[in-house]
């Protein structure tokens, strides 16, 4: 799931202007600009929605960093049915770079019914891809798979697996 262009919530963009520090310098020990609970997230590429989701809690820092807990993001593909859903215990990103790192029981679901689980995944919004280097387990309608690394191109929902890859084909009629 791409990380750079995806995690720019509208709520935070609106609050960023209202909560910017009064001086050019900020204290590293300063509290976050905004702490939100029960947050709905939306990101746009110009006028086009890039992703949406929700988080139990989100913290926006004055430097543009955003941290969300128990978060779920929906990234649209080429058609409305091609939505990729990413959920994790923790998602950390930056509004300026539009990159995101998800960690803690990360689950990636594609519109085709594939579910990938990994400890950590990185999303690049500019490339619209999700990648992981810490192993992945995949359950799909007719197979299961384990691999060392993966890359998912969100626009075409194409997974690439590398390293040690183990696949088990299953019958659709079991």
């Amino acid at each position: 799931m791409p990380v750079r262009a995806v995690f720019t919530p509208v709520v935070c963009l609106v609050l960023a202007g209202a909560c910017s520090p009064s001086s050019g310098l900020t204290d590293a020990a300063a509290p976050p600009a905004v702490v939100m609970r029960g947050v709905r997230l939306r990101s746009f590429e110009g006028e086009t929605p890039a992703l949406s989701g929700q988080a139990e809690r989100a913290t926006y820092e004055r430097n543009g960093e955003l941290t969300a807990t128990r978060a779920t993001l929906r990234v649209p593909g080429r058609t409305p049915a091609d939505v990729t859903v990413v959920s994790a215990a923790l998602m950390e990103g930056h509004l300026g770079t539009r990159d995101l790192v998800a960690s803690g029981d990360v689950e990636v679901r594609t519109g085709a019914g594939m579910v990938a689980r990994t400890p950590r995944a990185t999303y690049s919004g500019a490339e619209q891809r999700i990648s992981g280097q810490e192993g992945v387990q995949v359950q799909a309608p007719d197979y299961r798979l384990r691999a060392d690394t993966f890359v998912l191109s969100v626009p075409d929902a194409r997974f690439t697996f590398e390293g040690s890859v183990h696949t088990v084909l299953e019958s659709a009629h079991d």
Side-chain angles (χ1 to χ4, degrees):
M1 166 169 172
V3 177
R4 288 182 204 161
V6 173
F7 206 69
T8 49
V10 171
V11 168
C12 289
L13 291 177
V14 172
L15 293 173
C19 299
S20 58
S22 57
S23 70
L25 301 173
T26 60
D27 180 2
V34 179
V35 176
M36 302 162 279
R37 297 191 188 282
V39 180
R40 290 198 179 271
L41 307 168
R42 278 200 221 162
S43 173
F44 293 86
E45 291 285 335
E47 298 289 320
T48 307
L51 53 98
S52 63
Q54 66 269 347
E56 183 176 285
R57 179 178 184 222
T59 302
Y60 173 73
E61 301 290 342
R62 289 172 174 82
N63 64 4
E65 292 179 11
L66 189 65
T67 303
T69 57
R70 298 194 202 290
T72 300
L73 293 177
R74 288 167 197 74
V75 184
R78 290 189 177 144
T79 69
D82 292 336
V83 173
T84 299
V85 179
V86 179
S87 59
L90 179 66
M91 291 187 189
E92 300 172 290
H94 190 279
L95 295 177
T97 63
R98 300 174 74 182
D99 288 334
L100 171 71
V101 175
S103 59
D105 299 323
V106 179
E107 183 177 277
V108 180
R109 291 180 175 270
T110 68
M114 183 184 296
V115 180
R117 291 180 176 84
T118 185
R120 181 180 171 98
T122 301
Y123 174 77
S124 168
E127 298 173 354
Q128 290 195 327
R129 72 180 184 130
I130 302 168
S131 60
Q133 305 294 317
E134 296 180 21
V136 63
Q137 293 185 8
V138 176
Q139 179 69 48
D142 4 353
Y143 66 91
R144 290 177 288 134
L145 178 142
R146 281 191 325 247
D148 291 339
T149 67
F150 73 95
V151 175
L152 169 61
S153 170
V154 175
D156 58 8
R158 178 183 294 163
F159 266 99
T160 303
F161 301 99
E162 294 183 351
S164 175
V165 178
H166 180 247
T167 305
V168 176
L169 300 175
E170 299 172 335
S171 170
H173 302 293
D174 283 348

PDB file of all heavy atoms in Angstrom, residues 42-81:
ATOM      1  N   ARG A  42      -9.436  11.518   6.003  1.00  0.00           N
ATOM      2  CA  ARG A  42      -9.612  11.630   4.551  1.00  0.00           C
ATOM      3  C   ARG A  42      -8.399  12.327   3.977  1.00  0.00           C
ATOM      4  O   ARG A  42      -7.920  13.299   4.538  1.00  0.00           O
ATOM      5  CB  ARG A  42     -10.838  12.457   4.202  1.00  0.00           C
ATOM      6  CG  ARG A  42     -12.092  11.680   4.252  1.00  0.00           C
ATOM      7  CD  ARG A  42     -13.145  12.391   3.461  1.00  0.00           C
ATOM      8  NE  ARG A  42     -14.381  12.311   4.197  1.00  0.00           N
ATOM      9  CZ  ARG A  42     -15.399  13.090   3.985  1.00  0.00           C
ATOM     10  NH1 ARG A  42     -15.348  14.032   3.087  1.00  0.00           N
ATOM     11  NH2 ARG A  42     -16.494  12.935   4.671  1.00  0.00           N
ATOM     12  N   SER A  43      -7.947  11.843   2.831  1.00  0.00           N
ATOM     13  CA  SER A  43      -6.822  12.429   2.137  1.00  0.00           C
ATOM     14  C   SER A  43      -7.222  12.673   0.697  1.00  0.00           C
ATOM     15  O   SER A  43      -7.968  11.889   0.116  1.00  0.00           O
ATOM     16  CB  SER A  43      -5.632  11.466   2.196  1.00  0.00           C
ATOM     17  OG  SER A  43      -4.588  11.935   1.392  1.00  0.00           O
ATOM     18  N   PHE A  44      -6.715  13.770   0.121  1.00  0.00           N
ATOM     19  CA  PHE A  44      -7.079  14.121  -1.257  1.00  0.00           C
ATOM     20  C   PHE A  44      -5.833  14.346  -2.100  1.00  0.00           C
ATOM     21  O   PHE A  44      -4.825  14.848  -1.617  1.00  0.00           O
ATOM     22  CB  PHE A  44      -7.925  15.398  -1.267  1.00  0.00           C
ATOM     23  CG  PHE A  44      -9.259  15.223  -0.626  1.00  0.00           C
ATOM     24  CD1 PHE A  44      -9.423  15.378   0.738  1.00  0.00           C
ATOM     25  CD2 PHE A  44     -10.362  14.882  -1.380  1.00  0.00           C
ATOM     26  CE1 PHE A  44     -10.663  15.210   1.336  1.00  0.00           C
ATOM     27  CE2 PHE A  44     -11.600  14.718  -0.795  1.00  0.00           C
ATOM     28  CZ  PHE A  44     -11.753  14.878   0.564  1.00  0.00           C
ATOM     29  N   GLU A  45      -5.937  13.993  -3.355  1.00  0.00           N
ATOM     30  CA  GLU A  45      -4.955  14.341  -4.382  1.00  0.00           C
ATOM     31  C   GLU A  45      -5.648  15.415  -5.201  1.00  0.00           C
ATOM     32  O   GLU A  45      -6.438  15.101  -6.088  1.00  0.00           O
ATOM     33  CB  GLU A  45      -4.635  13.130  -5.262  1.00  0.00           C
ATOM     34  CG  GLU A  45      -3.879  12.032  -4.570  1.00  0.00           C
ATOM     35  CD  GLU A  45      -2.427  12.399  -4.363  1.00  0.00           C
ATOM     36  OE1 GLU A  45      -1.895  13.224  -5.124  1.00  0.00           O
ATOM     37  OE2 GLU A  45      -1.840  11.865  -3.421  1.00  0.00           O
ATOM     38  N   GLY A  46      -5.429  16.679  -4.881  1.00  0.00           N
ATOM     39  CA  GLY A  46      -6.194  17.749  -5.506  1.00  0.00           C
ATOM     40  C   GLY A  46      -7.635  17.642  -5.038  1.00  0.00           C
ATOM     41  O   GLY A  46      -7.924  17.681  -3.861  1.00  0.00           O
ATOM     42  N   GLU A  47      -8.556  17.449  -5.978  1.00  0.00           N
ATOM     43  CA  GLU A  47      -9.973  17.291  -5.659  1.00  0.00           C
ATOM     44  C   GLU A  47     -10.389  15.828  -5.506  1.00  0.00           C
ATOM     45  O   GLU A  47     -11.495  15.533  -5.081  1.00  0.00           O
ATOM     46  CB  GLU A  47     -10.826  17.924  -6.770  1.00  0.00           C
ATOM     47  CG  GLU A  47     -10.596  19.420  -6.926  1.00  0.00           C
ATOM     48  CD  GLU A  47     -11.167  20.207  -5.763  1.00  0.00           C
ATOM     49  OE1 GLU A  47     -12.260  19.876  -5.288  1.00  0.00           O
ATOM     50  OE2 GLU A  47     -10.497  21.162  -5.334  1.00  0.00           O
ATOM     51  N   THR A  48      -9.496  14.906  -5.860  1.00  0.00           N
ATOM     52  CA  THR A  48      -9.815  13.484  -5.868  1.00  0.00           C
ATOM     53  C   THR A  48      -9.501  12.838  -4.527  1.00  0.00           C
ATOM     54  O   THR A  48      -8.380  12.973  -4.019  1.00  0.00           O
ATOM     55  CB  THR A  48      -8.996  12.766  -6.969  1.00  0.00           C
ATOM     56  OG1 THR A  48      -9.200  13.440  -8.198  1.00  0.00           O
ATOM     57  CG2 THR A  48      -9.379  11.309  -7.078  1.00  0.00           C
ATOM     58  N   PRO A  49     -10.465  12.106  -3.932  1.00  0.00           N
ATOM     59  CA  PRO A  49     -10.169  11.394  -2.680  1.00  0.00           C
ATOM     60  C   PRO A  49      -9.078  10.343  -2.899  1.00  0.00           C
ATOM     61  O   PRO A  49      -9.150   9.558  -3.833  1.00  0.00           O
ATOM     62  CB  PRO A  49     -11.491  10.717  -2.329  1.00  0.00           C
ATOM     63  CG  PRO A  49     -12.536  11.443  -3.110  1.00  0.00           C
ATOM     64  CD  PRO A  49     -11.851  11.949  -4.341  1.00  0.00           C
ATOM     65  N   ALA A  50      -8.042  10.381  -2.076  1.00  0.00           N
ATOM     66  CA  ALA A  50      -6.943   9.423  -2.179  1.00  0.00           C
ATOM     67  C   ALA A  50      -7.125   8.272  -1.204  1.00  0.00           C
ATOM     68  O   ALA A  50      -6.786   7.145  -1.503  1.00  0.00           O
ATOM     69  CB  ALA A  50      -5.608  10.114  -1.929  1.00  0.00           C
ATOM     70  N   LEU A  51      -7.634   8.538  -0.020  1.00  0.00           N
ATOM     71  CA  LEU A  51      -7.955   7.488   0.937  1.00  0.00           C
ATOM     72  C   LEU A  51      -8.825   8.013   2.039  1.00  0.00           C
ATOM     73  O   LEU A  51      -8.987   9.213   2.208  1.00  0.00           O
ATOM     74  CB  LEU A  51      -6.717   6.819   1.512  1.00  0.00           C
ATOM     75  CG  LEU A  51      -5.636   7.619   2.136  1.00  0.00           C
ATOM     76  CD1 LEU A  51      -5.720   7.688   3.627  1.00  0.00           C
ATOM     77  CD2 LEU A  51      -4.359   6.908   1.780  1.00  0.00           C
ATOM     78  N   SER A  52      -9.390   7.070   2.759  1.00  0.00           N
ATOM     79  CA  SER A  52     -10.240   7.415   3.894  1.00  0.00           C
ATOM     80  C   SER A  52     -10.020   6.372   4.965  1.00  0.00           C
ATOM     81  O   SER A  52      -9.407   5.340   4.721  1.00  0.00           O
ATOM     82  CB  SER A  52     -11.715   7.449   3.469  1.00  0.00           C
ATOM     83  OG  SER A  52     -12.122   6.164   3.052  1.00  0.00           O
ATOM     84  N   GLY A  53     -10.516   6.624   6.149  1.00  0.00           N
ATOM     85  CA  GLY A  53     -10.368   5.650   7.216  1.00  0.00           C
ATOM     86  C   GLY A  53     -10.783   6.220   8.551  1.00  0.00           C
ATOM     87  O   GLY A  53     -11.422   7.263   8.637  1.00  0.00           O
ATOM     88  N   GLN A  54     -10.371   5.521   9.586  1.00  0.00           N
ATOM     89  CA  GLN A  54     -10.657   5.967  10.940  1.00  0.00           C
ATOM     90  C   GLN A  54      -9.558   5.487  11.866  1.00  0.00           C
ATOM     91  O   GLN A  54      -8.812   4.587  11.535  1.00  0.00           O
ATOM     92  CB  GLN A  54     -12.026   5.454  11.415  1.00  0.00           C
ATOM     93  CG  GLN A  54     -12.137   3.965  11.591  1.00  0.00           C
ATOM     94  CD  GLN A  54     -12.621   3.265  10.331  1.00  0.00           C
ATOM     95  OE1 GLN A  54     -13.102   3.890   9.409  1.00  0.00           O
ATOM     96  NE2 GLN A  54     -12.469   1.959  10.288  1.00  0.00           N
ATOM     97  N   ALA A  55      -9.481   6.146  13.008  1.00  0.00           N
ATOM     98  CA  ALA A  55      -8.502   5.780  14.029  1.00  0.00           C
ATOM     99  C   ALA A  55      -9.132   5.994  15.393  1.00  0.00           C
ATOM    100  O   ALA A  55      -9.952   6.895  15.579  1.00  0.00           O
ATOM    101  CB  ALA A  55      -7.246   6.634  13.904  1.00  0.00           C
ATOM    102  N   GLU A  56      -8.761   5.140  16.317  1.00  0.00           N
ATOM    103  CA  GLU A  56      -9.243   5.308  17.686  1.00  0.00           C
ATOM    104  C   GLU A  56      -8.701   6.608  18.269  1.00  0.00           C
ATOM    105  O   GLU A  56      -9.403   7.344  18.949  1.00  0.00           O
ATOM    106  CB  GLU A  56      -8.785   4.115  18.529  1.00  0.00           C
ATOM    107  CG  GLU A  56      -9.289   4.139  19.946  1.00  0.00           C
ATOM    108  CD  GLU A  56      -8.867   2.887  20.685  1.00  0.00           C
ATOM    109  OE1 GLU A  56      -9.454   1.820  20.438  1.00  0.00           O
ATOM    110  OE2 GLU A  56      -7.928   2.994  21.513  1.00  0.00           O
ATOM    111  N   ARG A  57      -7.433   6.892  17.959  1.00  0.00           N
ATOM    112  CA  ARG A  57      -6.777   8.100  18.469  1.00  0.00           C
ATOM    113  C   ARG A  57      -5.747   8.556  17.449  1.00  0.00           C
ATOM    114  O   ARG A  57      -5.070   7.739  16.846  1.00  0.00           O
ATOM    115  CB  ARG A  57      -6.094   7.791  19.790  1.00  0.00           C
ATOM    116  CG  ARG A  57      -5.371   8.968  20.386  1.00  0.00           C
ATOM    117  CD  ARG A  57      -4.765   8.616  21.726  1.00  0.00           C
ATOM    118  NE  ARG A  57      -4.172   9.812  22.284  1.00  0.00           N
ATOM    119  CZ  ARG A  57      -3.009   9.830  22.888  1.00  0.00           C
ATOM    120  NH1 ARG A  57      -2.316   8.722  23.043  1.00  0.00           N
ATOM    121  NH2 ARG A  57      -2.530  10.952  23.368  1.00  0.00           N
ATOM    122  N   ALA A  58      -5.627   9.855  17.258  1.00  0.00           N
ATOM    123  CA  ALA A  58      -4.614  10.409  16.359  1.00  0.00           C
ATOM    124  C   ALA A  58      -3.972  11.610  17.036  1.00  0.00           C
ATOM    125  O   ALA A  58      -4.648  12.400  17.693  1.00  0.00           O
ATOM    126  CB  ALA A  58      -5.225  10.818  15.026  1.00  0.00           C
ATOM    127  N   THR A  59      -2.660  11.717  16.875  1.00  0.00           N
ATOM    128  CA  THR A  59      -1.907  12.829  17.423  1.00  0.00           C
ATOM    129  C   THR A  59      -1.213  13.547  16.278  1.00  0.00           C
ATOM    130  O   THR A  59      -0.527  12.916  15.479  1.00  0.00           O
ATOM    131  CB  THR A  59      -0.848  12.339  18.435  1.00  0.00           C
ATOM    132  OG1 THR A  59      -1.511  11.614  19.462  1.00  0.00           O
ATOM    133  CG2 THR A  59      -0.079  13.493  19.036  1.00  0.00           C
ATOM    134  N   TYR A  60      -1.422  14.841  16.184  1.00  0.00           N
ATOM    135  CA  TYR A  60      -0.785  15.657  15.161  1.00  0.00           C
ATOM    136  C   TYR A  60       0.269  16.523  15.836  1.00  0.00           C
ATOM    137  O   TYR A  60      -0.032  17.248  16.779  1.00  0.00           O
ATOM    138  CB  TYR A  60      -1.833  16.533  14.470  1.00  0.00           C
ATOM    139  CG  TYR A  60      -1.218  17.522  13.516  1.00  0.00           C
ATOM    140  CD1 TYR A  60      -0.701  17.103  12.296  1.00  0.00           C
ATOM    141  CD2 TYR A  60      -1.141  18.870  13.844  1.00  0.00           C
ATOM    142  CE1 TYR A  60      -0.116  18.003  11.423  1.00  0.00           C
ATOM    143  CE2 TYR A  60      -0.561  19.769  12.967  1.00  0.00           C
ATOM    144  CZ  TYR A  60      -0.048  19.326  11.769  1.00  0.00           C
ATOM    145  OH  TYR A  60       0.531  20.218  10.908  1.00  0.00           O
ATOM    146  N   GLU A  61       1.508  16.430  15.367  1.00  0.00           N
ATOM    147  CA  GLU A  61       2.604  17.226  15.913  1.00  0.00           C
ATOM    148  C   GLU A  61       2.773  18.499  15.090  1.00  0.00           C
ATOM    149  O   GLU A  61       2.411  18.540  13.918  1.00  0.00           O
ATOM    150  CB  GLU A  61       3.910  16.411  15.884  1.00  0.00           C
ATOM    151  CG  GLU A  61       3.855  15.111  16.655  1.00  0.00           C
ATOM    152  CD  GLU A  61       3.787  15.291  18.162  1.00  0.00           C
ATOM    153  OE1 GLU A  61       4.119  16.384  18.671  1.00  0.00           O
ATOM    154  OE2 GLU A  61       3.399  14.333  18.843  1.00  0.00           O
ATOM    155  N   ARG A  62       3.349  19.499  15.691  1.00  0.00           N
ATOM    156  CA  ARG A  62       3.560  20.778  15.017  1.00  0.00           C
ATOM    157  C   ARG A  62       4.465  20.668  13.791  1.00  0.00           C
ATOM    158  O   ARG A  62       4.392  21.484  12.888  1.00  0.00           O
ATOM    159  CB  ARG A  62       4.115  21.801  16.006  1.00  0.00           C
ATOM    160  CG  ARG A  62       3.085  22.234  17.020  1.00  0.00           C
ATOM    161  CD  ARG A  62       3.694  23.106  18.113  1.00  0.00           C
ATOM    162  NE  ARG A  62       2.684  23.626  18.997  1.00  0.00           N
ATOM    163  CZ  ARG A  62       2.146  22.966  20.004  1.00  0.00           C
ATOM    164  NH1 ARG A  62       2.502  21.719  20.239  1.00  0.00           N
ATOM    165  NH2 ARG A  62       1.235  23.519  20.768  1.00  0.00           N
ATOM    166  N   ASN A  63       5.308  19.652  13.734  1.00  0.00           N
ATOM    167  CA  ASN A  63       6.228  19.478  12.598  1.00  0.00           C
ATOM    168  C   ASN A  63       5.591  18.695  11.446  1.00  0.00           C
ATOM    169  O   ASN A  63       6.267  18.384  10.464  1.00  0.00           O
ATOM    170  CB  ASN A  63       7.518  18.809  13.055  1.00  0.00           C
ATOM    171  CG  ASN A  63       7.294  17.403  13.578  1.00  0.00           C
ATOM    172  OD1 ASN A  63       6.184  16.877  13.544  1.00  0.00           O
ATOM    173  ND2 ASN A  63       8.350  16.782  14.074  1.00  0.00           N
ATOM    174  N   GLY A  64       4.317  18.341  11.548  1.00  0.00           N
ATOM    175  CA  GLY A  64       3.630  17.635  10.471  1.00  0.00           C
ATOM    176  C   GLY A  64       3.506  16.140  10.673  1.00  0.00           C
ATOM    177  O   GLY A  64       2.862  15.455   9.888  1.00  0.00           O
ATOM    178  N   GLU A  65       4.115  15.606  11.721  1.00  0.00           N
ATOM    179  CA  GLU A  65       4.022  14.176  11.970  1.00  0.00           C
ATOM    180  C   GLU A  65       2.665  13.827  12.548  1.00  0.00           C
ATOM    181  O   GLU A  65       2.106  14.554  13.353  1.00  0.00           O
ATOM    182  CB  GLU A  65       5.136  13.727  12.913  1.00  0.00           C
ATOM    183  CG  GLU A  65       6.504  13.826  12.279  1.00  0.00           C
ATOM    184  CD  GLU A  65       7.621  13.402  13.206  1.00  0.00           C
ATOM    185  OE1 GLU A  65       7.333  12.827  14.281  1.00  0.00           O
ATOM    186  OE2 GLU A  65       8.773  13.664  12.859  1.00  0.00           O
ATOM    187  N   LEU A  66       2.157  12.678  12.119  1.00  0.00           N
ATOM    188  CA  LEU A  66       0.853  12.209  12.558  1.00  0.00           C
ATOM    189  C   LEU A  66       0.998  10.767  13.028  1.00  0.00           C
ATOM    190  O   LEU A  66       1.622   9.949  12.352  1.00  0.00           O
ATOM    191  CB  LEU A  66      -0.136  12.282  11.398  1.00  0.00           C
ATOM    192  CG  LEU A  66      -1.594  12.040  11.711  1.00  0.00           C
ATOM    193  CD1 LEU A  66      -2.131  13.138  12.629  1.00  0.00           C
ATOM    194  CD2 LEU A  66      -2.393  12.039  10.422  1.00  0.00           C
ATOM    195  N   THR A  67       0.430  10.451  14.194  1.00  0.00           N
ATOM    196  CA  THR A  67       0.444   9.106  14.744  1.00  0.00           C
ATOM    197  C   THR A  67      -0.995   8.707  15.030  1.00  0.00           C
ATOM    198  O   THR A  67      -1.729   9.461  15.674  1.00  0.00           O
ATOM    199  CB  THR A  67       1.265   9.055  16.053  1.00  0.00           C
ATOM    200  OG1 THR A  67       2.584   9.515  15.779  1.00  0.00           O
ATOM    201  CG2 THR A  67       1.306   7.657  16.621  1.00  0.00           C
ATOM    202  N   ALA A  68      -1.386   7.522  14.543  1.00  0.00           N
ATOM    203  CA  ALA A  68      -2.759   7.041  14.757  1.00  0.00           C
ATOM    204  C   ALA A  68      -2.715   5.643  15.345  1.00  0.00           C
ATOM    205  O   ALA A  68      -1.909   4.813  14.926  1.00  0.00           O
ATOM    206  CB  ALA A  68      -3.527   7.038  13.436  1.00  0.00           C
ATOM    207  N   THR A  69      -3.579   5.374  16.316  1.00  0.00           N
ATOM    208  CA  THR A  69      -3.653   4.048  16.914  1.00  0.00           C
ATOM    209  C   THR A  69      -4.962   3.379  16.518  1.00  0.00           C
ATOM    210  O   THR A  69      -5.974   4.047  16.310  1.00  0.00           O
ATOM    211  CB  THR A  69      -3.545   4.114  18.453  1.00  0.00           C
ATOM    212  OG1 THR A  69      -4.572   4.955  18.958  1.00  0.00           O
ATOM    213  CG2 THR A  69      -2.184   4.655  18.879  1.00  0.00           C
ATOM    214  N   ARG A  70      -4.887   2.041  16.431  1.00  0.00           N
ATOM    215  CA  ARG A  70      -6.036   1.233  15.999  1.00  0.00           C
ATOM    216  C   ARG A  70      -6.687   1.887  14.781  1.00  0.00           C
ATOM    217  O   ARG A  70      -7.841   2.276  14.804  1.00  0.00           O
ATOM    218  CB  ARG A  70      -7.029   1.043  17.117  1.00  0.00           C
ATOM    219  CG  ARG A  70      -6.472   0.297  18.304  1.00  0.00           C
ATOM    220  CD  ARG A  70      -7.584  -0.150  19.230  1.00  0.00           C
ATOM    221  NE  ARG A  70      -7.190  -0.417  20.573  1.00  0.00           N
ATOM    222  CZ  ARG A  70      -6.455  -1.436  20.989  1.00  0.00           C
ATOM    223  NH1 ARG A  70      -6.000  -2.285  20.135  1.00  0.00           N
ATOM    224  NH2 ARG A  70      -6.170  -1.595  22.254  1.00  0.00           N
ATOM    225  N   ALA A  71      -5.881   1.961  13.731  1.00  0.00           N
ATOM    226  CA  ALA A  71      -6.288   2.695  12.534  1.00  0.00           C
ATOM    227  C   ALA A  71      -6.594   1.765  11.365  1.00  0.00           C
ATOM    228  O   ALA A  71      -6.012   0.686  11.241  1.00  0.00           O
ATOM    229  CB  ALA A  71      -5.193   3.674  12.127  1.00  0.00           C
ATOM    230  N   THR A  72      -7.508   2.208  10.533  1.00  0.00           N
ATOM    231  CA  THR A  72      -7.868   1.509   9.295  1.00  0.00           C
ATOM    232  C   THR A  72      -7.928   2.545   8.179  1.00  0.00           C
ATOM    233  O   THR A  72      -8.540   3.600   8.347  1.00  0.00           O
ATOM    234  CB  THR A  72      -9.249   0.831   9.423  1.00  0.00           C
ATOM    235  OG1 THR A  72      -9.180  -0.116  10.491  1.00  0.00           O
ATOM    236  CG2 THR A  72      -9.637   0.119   8.135  1.00  0.00           C
ATOM    237  N   LEU A  73      -7.268   2.236   7.056  1.00  0.00           N
ATOM    238  CA  LEU A  73      -7.285   3.121   5.894  1.00  0.00           C
ATOM    239  C   LEU A  73      -7.793   2.365   4.682  1.00  0.00           C
ATOM    240  O   LEU A  73      -7.454   1.195   4.489  1.00  0.00           O
ATOM    241  CB  LEU A  73      -5.886   3.657   5.596  1.00  0.00           C
ATOM    242  CG  LEU A  73      -5.293   4.594   6.630  1.00  0.00           C
ATOM    243  CD1 LEU A  73      -3.874   4.979   6.234  1.00  0.00           C
ATOM    244  CD2 LEU A  73      -6.146   5.829   6.788  1.00  0.00           C
ATOM    245  N   ARG A  74      -8.580   3.050   3.861  1.00  0.00           N
ATOM    246  CA  ARG A  74      -9.085   2.485   2.606  1.00  0.00           C
ATOM    247  C   ARG A  74      -8.464   3.265   1.459  1.00  0.00           C
ATOM    248  O   ARG A  74      -8.648   4.482   1.367  1.00  0.00           O
ATOM    249  CB  ARG A  74     -10.609   2.596   2.551  1.00  0.00           C
ATOM    250  CG  ARG A  74     -11.293   1.643   3.497  1.00  0.00           C
ATOM    251  CD  ARG A  74     -12.779   2.013   3.647  1.00  0.00           C
ATOM    252  NE  ARG A  74     -13.353   1.381   4.810  1.00  0.00           N
ATOM    253  CZ  ARG A  74     -13.137   1.747   6.060  1.00  0.00           C
ATOM    254  NH1 ARG A  74     -12.380   2.766   6.329  1.00  0.00           N
ATOM    255  NH2 ARG A  74     -13.683   1.107   7.063  1.00  0.00           N
ATOM    256  N   VAL A  75      -7.745   2.536   0.580  1.00  0.00           N
ATOM    257  CA  VAL A  75      -7.082   3.164  -0.553  1.00  0.00           C
ATOM    258  C   VAL A  75      -7.798   2.724  -1.820  1.00  0.00           C
ATOM    259  O   VAL A  75      -7.850   1.530  -2.126  1.00  0.00           O
ATOM    260  CB  VAL A  75      -5.595   2.749  -0.626  1.00  0.00           C
ATOM    261  CG1 VAL A  75      -4.898   3.489  -1.762  1.00  0.00           C
ATOM    262  CG2 VAL A  75      -4.903   3.001   0.700  1.00  0.00           C
ATOM    263  N   PRO A  76      -8.387   3.667  -2.566  1.00  0.00           N
ATOM    264  CA  PRO A  76      -9.116   3.279  -3.778  1.00  0.00           C
ATOM    265  C   PRO A  76      -8.177   2.814  -4.880  1.00  0.00           C
ATOM    266  O   PRO A  76      -7.053   3.295  -5.003  1.00  0.00           O
ATOM    267  CB  PRO A  76      -9.842   4.570  -4.184  1.00  0.00           C
ATOM    268  CG  PRO A  76      -9.080   5.669  -3.540  1.00  0.00           C
ATOM    269  CD  PRO A  76      -8.431   5.097  -2.324  1.00  0.00           C
ATOM    270  N   GLY A  77      -8.651   1.864  -5.684  1.00  0.00           N
ATOM    271  CA  GLY A  77      -7.919   1.393  -6.851  1.00  0.00           C
ATOM    272  C   GLY A  77      -8.509   1.999  -8.098  1.00  0.00           C
ATOM    273  O   GLY A  77      -9.090   3.090  -8.065  1.00  0.00           O
ATOM    274  N   ARG A  78      -8.416   1.266  -9.189  1.00  0.00           N
ATOM    275  CA  ARG A  78      -8.922   1.779 -10.469  1.00  0.00           C
ATOM    276  C   ARG A  78     -10.442   1.832 -10.529  1.00  0.00           C
ATOM    277  O   ARG A  78     -11.011   2.662 -11.217  1.00  0.00           O
ATOM    278  CB  ARG A  78      -8.387   0.927 -11.604  1.00  0.00           C
ATOM    279  CG  ARG A  78      -6.909   1.134 -11.799  1.00  0.00           C
ATOM    280  CD  ARG A  78      -6.425   0.454 -13.054  1.00  0.00           C
ATOM    281  NE  ARG A  78      -5.009   0.764 -13.208  1.00  0.00           N
ATOM    282  CZ  ARG A  78      -4.128  -0.066 -13.678  1.00  0.00           C
ATOM    283  NH1 ARG A  78      -4.486  -1.265 -14.075  1.00  0.00           N
ATOM    284  NH2 ARG A  78      -2.879   0.293 -13.788  1.00  0.00           N
ATOM    285  N   THR A  79     -11.115   0.891  -9.834  1.00  0.00           N
ATOM    286  CA  THR A  79     -12.576   0.877  -9.817  1.00  0.00           C
ATOM    287  C   THR A  79     -13.034   0.904  -8.357  1.00  0.00           C
ATOM    288  O   THR A  79     -12.251   0.597  -7.455  1.00  0.00           O
ATOM    289  CB  THR A  79     -13.144  -0.395 -10.493  1.00  0.00           C
ATOM    290  OG1 THR A  79     -12.842  -1.523  -9.672  1.00  0.00           O
ATOM    291  CG2 THR A  79     -12.566  -0.583 -11.897  1.00  0.00           C
ATOM    292  N   PRO A  80     -14.298   1.226  -8.099  1.00  0.00           N
ATOM    293  CA  PRO A  80     -14.786   1.244  -6.712  1.00  0.00           C
ATOM    294  C   PRO A  80     -14.642  -0.099  -6.000  1.00  0.00           C
ATOM    295  O   PRO A  80     -14.496  -0.142  -4.787  1.00  0.00           O
ATOM    296  CB  PRO A  80     -16.255   1.638  -6.857  1.00  0.00           C
ATOM    297  CG  PRO A  80     -16.309   2.406  -8.134  1.00  0.00           C
ATOM    298  CD  PRO A  80     -15.283   1.762  -9.033  1.00  0.00           C
ATOM    299  N   ALA A  81     -14.641  -1.196  -6.742  1.00  0.00           N
ATOM    300  CA  ALA A  81     -14.495  -2.519  -6.131  1.00  0.00           C
ATOM    301  C   ALA A  81     -13.045  -2.844  -5.786  1.00  0.00           C
ATOM    302  O   ALA A  81     -12.776  -3.783  -5.047  1.00  0.00           O
ATOM    303  CB  ALA A  81     -15.049  -3.587  -7.063  1.00  0.00           C
TER     304      ALA A  81
END
